């Protein structure tokens, strides 16, 4: 079975090349996804062999844990690290910098009169009627006001220069920022997306006056209209730039020292790949990097199992990521939703939602007596109480140990010590005794509250956006996803759960085989009633040529290259757009009407209203160049009968609901080894399936079957 991961990302400079596509067919590919608790690694060989590994993350310097994990993985695979030709990486470094507000000191040079644009923002407030609220983008400023410097220059919306650039003033401001020791300078001029001449000249002056500083230009980072979002994105890129760039440089250096190719590629928020050099220059593209890889991997797993429409639930130690992909296609976030923490980031982002719900989520009782689980997490250190690393607060992992779902020897095949008595003590002290309830009820309460949070997140991204969960399959990913998925599927009437062969490293698998996609946008501003066909044709032709040249520079042949078009549309008078797929073929009146019709249909799905008699405004046009990467072949497993008894290793006591209406009860449940299961095996729930990187729970009145690729398919039992 072959699978292809369909992804996209913003364009990089032609000089930032991938290895020639013609050389990829015989490569060993390494995928590394760094999470808050664990770092997941997978090595794919061209003979179809897949080796997986999982190691604790090192939060102080993720490159340390990454390289340690690579060394351990290479030993496990009996492979020389020097034989790894391609290294694909998903990282949370840039995201964590933003969320923790610990970026570098930033200066900004902008157009006279626009000094306070970052402060004013969109004038929207988190609480509409509070006069005393703190506005996050003002409390944690990306660029302090004293470092926001203005110079005389002006370009209009057509790109015409109204006021020339005052170069002497630019030099003076750059020298001032150098004296103040800023680590990065953001440059954002009005209408630079139409004409970047002034910004490019400022870049030259900065390089002359302050060559070591990190430079971020709005025309290179976010070349689209909407000045606040463009300014914010440019400032974000500068804020995370120095630290992220240094991290990538360290990783590339260490990989090179280990003999691994320094051809490192990083996942972007849109689900595509950029080179290490491009990522260092535009690190804002890495926001939500690792999160998207889980969705991409889930899409491929669903397609390989014959169920292309999937909802992915990727539950790690710190968070749960939820994605919805109808027919296996990634949906892109609306401009209003492309945020990271408290800031707008006008970069393409796949539709994935992250909530604070994971295996390390801490259960507590707040000052008002309310029982809460998450978003606070025990992380990798000290971790859940049962790990015996100093953690004393109860987590969801501790709860599932008490419930009997996680056995002492189930963690990383017994390589991690688990102490059930510490889990029980933590839950008793912090939850059961204060609530005057039993240990078992407290543990089940922890699971139920956390599962409800995940159920609500899935509902938000499916039912409330016009999709019926009953039309999808739920792909359970991450170390903890298969522990929750059986219950969530029942709550939302999702017909089946798909548990990948290696659920704990699905995000790392998602990094391995991505079609390379360069997205090139520009602003068009025309209407379906009176479309400027000549303008549209010229812009799309130029964008197509640019995308093709970049793919050709990467070594793709004409046969491997294809193009897709999309348009950001809105009704005339609306403030924000929806992206619609545009047809191929000649750009003419019929083409414009097809785009308008696609917008009417999408608007109806999203908002339950459509206005076919209204004109549609075509705001931005986009061309995506696709370079087809050789597909990964997943090995099939041995075939067996329906009887799974050969994989049965023991039985255990587990607390679970025996029917939908009753209280949970202790039952004797079979425990199976995932490695011993064969294609065709069937398992009646309740049951547990254990493997190196995860544990799967099969609920009462559920039946699991194993497909030819080793994926476990859980459905409601018909017996």
């Amino acid at each position: 079975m072959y699978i292809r991961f369909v992804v996209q990302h913003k364009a990089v400079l032609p000089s930032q090349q991938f290895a020639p596509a013609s050389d990829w067919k015989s490569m060993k590919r390494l995928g590394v996804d760094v999470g808050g608790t664990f770092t997941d690694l997978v090595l794919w060989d061209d003979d179809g062999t897949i080796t997986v590994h999982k190691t604790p993350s090192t939060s102080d310097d993720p490159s340390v844990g990454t390289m340690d994990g690579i060394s351990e993985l290479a030993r496990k695979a009996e492979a020389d690290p020097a034989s790894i030709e391609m290294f694909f990486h998903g990282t949370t470094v840039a995201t964590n910098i933003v969320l923790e507000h610990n970026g570098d000191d930033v200066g900004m040079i902008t157009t006279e009169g626009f000094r306070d644009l970052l402060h004013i923002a969109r004038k929207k407030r988190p609480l509409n009627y509070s006069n005393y609220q703190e506005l996050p983008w003002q409390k944690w400023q990306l660029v302090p006001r004293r470092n926001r410097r203005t110079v005389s220059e002006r370009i209009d919306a057509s790109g015409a220069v109204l006021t020339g650039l005052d170069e002497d003033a630019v030099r003076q401001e750059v020298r001032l920022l150098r004296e103040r020791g800023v680590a990065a300078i953001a440059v954002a001029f009005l209408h630079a997306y139409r004409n970047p001449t002034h910004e490019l000249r400022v870049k030259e002056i900065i390089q002359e006056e302050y060559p070591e500083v990190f430079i971020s230009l709005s025309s290179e980072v976010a070349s689209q209209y909407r000045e606040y979002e463009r300014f914010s994105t440019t400032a974000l890129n500068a804020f995370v730039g120095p630290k992220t760039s240094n991290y990538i440089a360290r990783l590339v250096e260490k990989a090179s020292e280990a003999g691994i190719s320094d051809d490192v590629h990083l996942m972007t928020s849109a689900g595509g790949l950029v080179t290490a050099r491009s990522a260092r220059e535009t690190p804002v593209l890495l926001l939500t990097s690792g999160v998207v890889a889980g969705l991409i991997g889930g899409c491929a797993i669903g397609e390989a199992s014959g169920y292309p429409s999937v909802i992915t639930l990727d539950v790690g130690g710190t968070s749960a990521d939820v994605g919805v992909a109808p027919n296996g296609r990634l949906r892109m976030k609306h401009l209003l939703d492309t945020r990271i923490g408290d800031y707008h980031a006008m970069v393409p982002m796949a539709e994935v939602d992250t909530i604070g719900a994971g295996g390390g989520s801490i259960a507590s009782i707040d000052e008002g007596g309310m029982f809460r689980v998450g978003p606070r997490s025990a992380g990798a250190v000290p971790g859940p109480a049962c790990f015996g690393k100093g953690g004393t607060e109860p987590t969801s992992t501790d709860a599932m140990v008490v419930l009997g779902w996680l056995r002492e020897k189930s963690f990383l095949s017994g390589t991690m010590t688990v102490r059930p008595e510490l889990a029980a003590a933590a839950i008793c002290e912090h939850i059961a005794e204060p609530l005057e309830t039993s240990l078992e009820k407290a543990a089940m309460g922890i699971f139920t509250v956390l599962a409800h949070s995940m159920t609500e997140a899935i509902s938000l991204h499916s039912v409330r956006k016009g999709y019926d969960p009953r039309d999808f399959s739920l792909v359970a990913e991450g170390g903890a996803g298969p522990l929750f998925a059986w219950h969530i599927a029942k709550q939302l009437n999702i017909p089946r759960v798909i548990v990948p062969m290696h659920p704990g490293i699905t995000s790392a698998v998602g990094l391995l085989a991505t079609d390379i996609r360069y997205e090139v946008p520009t602003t068009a501003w025309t209407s379906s009633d009176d479309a400027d066909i000549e303008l549209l044709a010229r812009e799309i032709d130029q964008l197509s040529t640019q995308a093709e040249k970049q793919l050709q520079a990467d070594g793709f042949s004409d046969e491997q290259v294809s193009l897709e078009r999309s348009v950001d549309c809105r009704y005339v008078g609306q403030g924000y757009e929806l992206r619609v797929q545009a047809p191929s073929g000649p750009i003419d009146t019929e083409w414009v009407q097809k785009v308008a019709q696609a917008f009417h249909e999408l608007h109806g799905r999203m908002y339950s209203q459509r206005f076919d008699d209204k004109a549609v405004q075509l705001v931005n046009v986009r061309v995506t160049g696709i370079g087809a990467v050789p597909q990964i072949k997943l090995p099939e497993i041995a075939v067996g009968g329906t009887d799974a008894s050969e994989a049965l290793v023991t039985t255990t006591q587990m607390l679970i609901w025996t029917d939908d209406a009753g209280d949970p009860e202790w039952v004797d449940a079979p425990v199976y080894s995932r490695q011993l299961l064969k294609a065709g095996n069937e398992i009646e729930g309740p049951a547990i399936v254990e493997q190196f990187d995860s544990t799967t729970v099969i609920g009462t009145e559920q039946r699991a079957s194993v497909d030819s690729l080793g994926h476990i398919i859980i459905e409601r039992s018909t017996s």
Side-chain angles (χ1 to χ4, degrees):
M1 174 65 68
Y2 291 89
I3 56 177
R4 182 181 299 284
F5 296 70
V6 181
V7 299
Q8 62 186 32
H9 67 85
K10 195 173 181 180
V12 297
L13 298 177
S15 60
Q16 299 161 357
Q17 298 180 10
F18 293 87
S22 58
D23 296 340
W24 290 9
K25 59 185 178 181
S26 62
M27 285 187 172
K28 282 186 172 67
R29 304 183 199 174
L30 170 68
V32 180
D33 179 56
V34 179
T37 305
F38 287 104
T39 293
D40 302 326
L41 306 97
V42 58
L43 180 65
W44 181 82
D45 202 338
D46 58 356
D47 63 3
T49 303
I50 294 178
T51 308
V52 302
H53 188 61
K54 203 175 187 75
T55 188
S57 297
T58 51
S59 56
D60 290 342
D61 184 356
S63 66
V64 174
T66 296
M67 296 311 302
D68 288 346
I70 291 174
S71 298
E72 295 162 4
L73 176 68
R75 286 195 295 270
K76 192 173 182 179
E78 298 181 349
D80 183 354
S83 66
I84 299 172
E85 290 112 339
M86 296 204 77
F87 180 176
F88 299 91
H89 183 38
T91 176
T92 58
V93 169
T95 304
N96 291 340
I97 290 171
V98 177
L99 297 180
E100 296 169 10
H101 306 290
N102 64 355
D104 287 280
D105 291 335
V106 178
M108 173 176 270
I109 296 176
T110 187
T111 307
E112 219 167 49
F114 288 83
R115 182 181 188 182
D116 292 318
L117 187 62
L118 286 178
H119 183 85
I120 298 170
R122 285 286 175 187
K123 298 188 294 184
K124 293 182 178 179
R125 303 159 69 86
L127 304 173
N128 289 334
Y129 303 107
S130 172
N131 292 326
Y132 302 101
Q133 64 182 300
E134 291 180 330
L135 302 181
W137 58 88
Q138 294 178 3
K139 180 178 180 181
W140 295 289
Q141 299 178 72
L142 293 172
V143 188
R145 190 174 194 274
R146 66 192 295 267
N147 286 344
R148 298 198 296 266
R149 316 303 300 176
T150 65
V151 296
S152 177
E153 73 85 37
R154 194 63 176 256
I155 293 173
D156 68 13
S158 70
V161 176
L162 301 180
T163 303
L165 177 67
D166 187 341
E167 297 190 8
D168 291 336
V170 172
R171 290 188 186 277
Q172 181 178 341
E173 299 299 350
V174 171
R175 290 167 182 170
L176 175 65
L177 293 174
R178 183 186 61 193
E179 291 173 2
R180 292 180 177 176
V182 301
I185 297 177
V187 183
F189 288 152
L190 191 64
H191 300 307
Y193 64 94
R194 277 296 193 195
N195 182 352
T197 305
H198 288 175
E199 286 195 354
L200 293 173
R201 178 55 186 147
V202 171
K203 183 177 183 178
E204 292 175 351
I205 294 173
I206 294 173
Q207 290 171 335
E208 294 169 6
E209 299 287 343
Y210 196 0
E212 65 270 29
V213 77
F214 184 91
I215 304 172
S216 177
L217 301 187
S218 76
S219 55
E220 295 178 346
V221 174
S223 187
Q224 298 177 60
Y225 91 108
R226 294 189 188 279
E227 51 269 12
Y228 166 62
E229 285 79 6
R230 182 160 51 87
F231 279 41
S232 175
T233 306
T234 307
L236 266 175
N237 192 63
F239 188 69
V240 304
K243 289 184 178 179
T244 306
S245 179
N246 290 337
Y247 162 71
I248 296 171
R250 287 197 306 273
L251 180 63
V252 170
E253 182 181 2
K254 290 178 180 179
S256 182
E257 290 174 353
I260 302 172
S261 168
D262 60 2
D263 190 20
V264 180
H265 303 77
L266 293 98
M267 179 69 75
T268 71
S269 60
L273 296 170
V274 292
T275 61
R277 176 181 170 185
S278 179
R280 292 183 63 185
E281 293 177 353
T282 319
V284 73
L285 294 177
L286 303 182
L287 300 175
T288 72
S289 165
V291 173
V292 179
L295 176 57
I296 297 169
C299 289
I301 297 300
E303 182 180 354
S305 296
Y307 305 104
S309 290
V310 298
I311 296 172
T312 58
L313 176 67
D314 188 351
V315 186
T318 305
S319 61
D321 306 318
V322 173
V324 178
N327 295 315
R329 293 189 65 89
L330 272 65
R331 296 182 300 141
M332 304 307 291
K333 283 188 175 182
H334 190 282
L335 175 65
L336 290 174
D337 299 324
T338 55
R339 302 172 62 94
I340 181 69
D342 303 313
Y343 310 102
H344 272 93
M346 195 166 60
V347 294
M349 287 188 182
E351 184 76 62
V352 183
D353 184 42
T354 300
I355 62 172
S361 292
I362 294 172
S364 62
I365 300 172
D366 65 19
E367 295 178 354
M370 293 293 292
F371 178 32
R372 299 183 180 277
V373 186
R376 218 162 41 91
S377 174
V381 179
C386 63
F387 287 0
K389 295 183 178 180
T392 58
E393 295 181 281
T395 67
S396 64
T397 296
D398 296 308
M400 286 183 278
V401 169
V402 168
L403 296 174
W405 302 359
L406 294 174
R407 301 187 308 130
E408 293 182 52
K409 297 182 179 181
S410 65
F411 282 85
L412 302 183
S413 299
T415 59
M416 177 176 285
T417 302
V418 174
R419 299 176 60 184
E421 72 278 7
L422 295 181
I427 295 175
C428 281
E429 178 183 352
H430 293 277
I431 306 298
E433 292 176 0
L435 294 179
E436 298 181 351
T437 189
S438 67
L439 170 64
E440 291 80 7
K441 286 185 177 180
M444 186 59 79
I446 293 172
F447 167 79
T448 304
V449 169
L450 207 59
H452 178 73
S453 298
M454 299 177 194
T455 302
E456 284 295 294
I458 292 174
S459 177
L460 176 66
H461 284 269
S462 56
V463 176
R464 301 180 201 180
K465 294 196 175 181
Y467 295 100
D468 188 339
R470 293 173 294 185
D471 298 332
F472 291 78
S473 298
L474 181 62
V475 181
E477 306 173 13
L483 288 162
F484 289 91
W486 68 275
H487 179 73
I488 293 170
K490 278 189 172 183
Q491 298 301 305
L492 292 173
N493 290 317
I494 299 174
R496 71 190 59 80
V497 173
I498 304 174
V499 183
M501 187 66 177
H502 301 288
I505 53 87
T506 305
S507 290
V509 171
L511 295 165
L512 283 183
T514 62
D515 282 341
I516 307 304
R517 298 170 66 103
Y518 291 135
E519 182 183 284
V520 192
T522 193
T523 299
W525 285 113
T526 190
S527 170
S528 61
D529 275 1
D530 185 24
D532 188 337
I533 301 297
E534 184 179 344
L535 169 67
L536 288 170
R538 183 174 64 252
E539 294 289 2
I540 290 176
D541 183 62
Q542 290 176 352
L543 296 178
S544 300
T545 300
Q546 184 178 347
E548 288 175 335
K549 284 183 176 179
Q550 293 190 20
L551 288 168
Q552 290 166 359
D554 290 343
F556 288 97
S557 65
D558 292 342
E559 293 75 20
Q560 294 172 308
V561 173
S562 59
L563 300 175
E564 289 182 353
R565 302 166 178 171
S566 60
V567 184
D568 298 342
C569 299
R570 65 188 185 189
Y571 289 117
V572 173
Q574 282 187 318
Y576 293 91
E577 305 80 41
L578 295 176
R579 178 185 297 197
V580 299
Q581 293 300 118
S584 58
I587 309 301
D588 51 23
T589 302
E590 183 182 357
W591 184 88
V592 172
Q593 293 307 313
K594 287 180 179 179
V595 170
Q597 183 61 29
F599 172 72
H600 291 312
E601 293 174 0
L602 180 59
H603 196 278
R605 171 181 285 277
M606 293 292 293
Y607 302 116
S608 301
Q609 295 185 71
R610 53 186 291 172
F611 307 95
D612 294 72
D613 59 329
K614 302 294 185 183
V616 174
Q617 192 170 36
L618 285 65
V619 180
N620 300 313
V621 293
R622 305 171 186 272
V623 172
T624 303
I626 307 166
V629 174
Q631 302 174 19
I632 282 182
K633 182 179 181 181
L634 294 180
E636 295 186 352
I637 64 172
V639 178
T642 58
D643 184 8
S645 59
E646 291 185 5
L648 181 66
V649 292
T650 188
T651 59
T652 190
Q653 280 275 301
M654 69 181 299
L655 186 66
I656 197 169
W657 292 274
T658 55
D659 59 69
D660 292 340
D663 293 328
E665 298 177 10
W666 286 101
V667 299
D668 281 321
V671 179
Y672 296 89
S673 168
R674 183 74 183 265
Q675 288 70 31
L676 299 178
L677 288 174
K678 296 181 179 180
N681 286 174
E682 294 183 357
I683 301 172
E684 289 287 343
I688 294 172
V689 180
E690 296 178 344
Q691 63 188 101
F692 173 79
D693 58 328
S694 187
T695 296
T696 300
V697 171
I698 303 165
T700 308
E701 299 182 348
Q702 291 182 332
R703 171 180 293 173
S705 59
V706 182
D707 71 9
S708 62
L709 299 176
H711 303 147
I712 298 175
I713 313 296
I714 303 174
E715 299 175 294
R716 190 172 184 85
S717 177
T718 56
S719 60

